[in-house]
Amino acid sequence: MDKRHVDTRGLLCPEPMLMVKREIEAMDSGVIEALADNSAARENIKRLALSKGWKVEIRSQEGDYLLTLSK
């Protein structure tokens, strides 16, 4: 199973969502772990992943958000 990591901390929208979008488009299935440091990026990444048919799990991690996308 393919697993990718994307660190979007410190970036402003729409860059975090675009980074994750590139990974989603490059994969048919697998796991993407995305780190985000603001709620706007968290919500945009979540909406994108759900719209593409990916499952999303979100956890708080030391002030950041860890989004685990799987398909």
Side-chain angles (χ1 to χ4, degrees):
M1 176 181 281
D2 200 5
K3 186 172 186 177
R4 311 243 178 130
H5 302 275
V6 181
D7 187 347
T8 71
R9 293 175 295 179
L11 301 174
L12 299 175
C13 287
E15 191 60 29
M17 188 260 315
L18 294 174
M19 291 173 67
V20 173
K21 183 178 182 207
R22 283 191 285 272
E23 296 299 331
I24 286 174
E25 290 175 347
M27 302 171 68
D28 291 325
S29 63
V31 174
I32 301 170
E33 289 186 338
L35 277 171
D37 60 1
N38 65 75
S39 59
R42 177 195 69 205
E43 290 304 312
N44 289 336
I45 293 168
K46 176 184 171 185
R47 278 195 299 274
L48 168 71
L50 292 173
S51 75
K52 300 289 186 180
W54 289 67
K55 294 178 185 175
V56 180
E57 177 186 319
I58 302 172
R59 290 181 303 206
S60 292
Q61 180 176 307
E62 298 178 14
D64 295 327
Y65 302 102
L66 175 63
L67 293 90
T68 303
L69 287 51
S70 60
K71 184 173 182 185

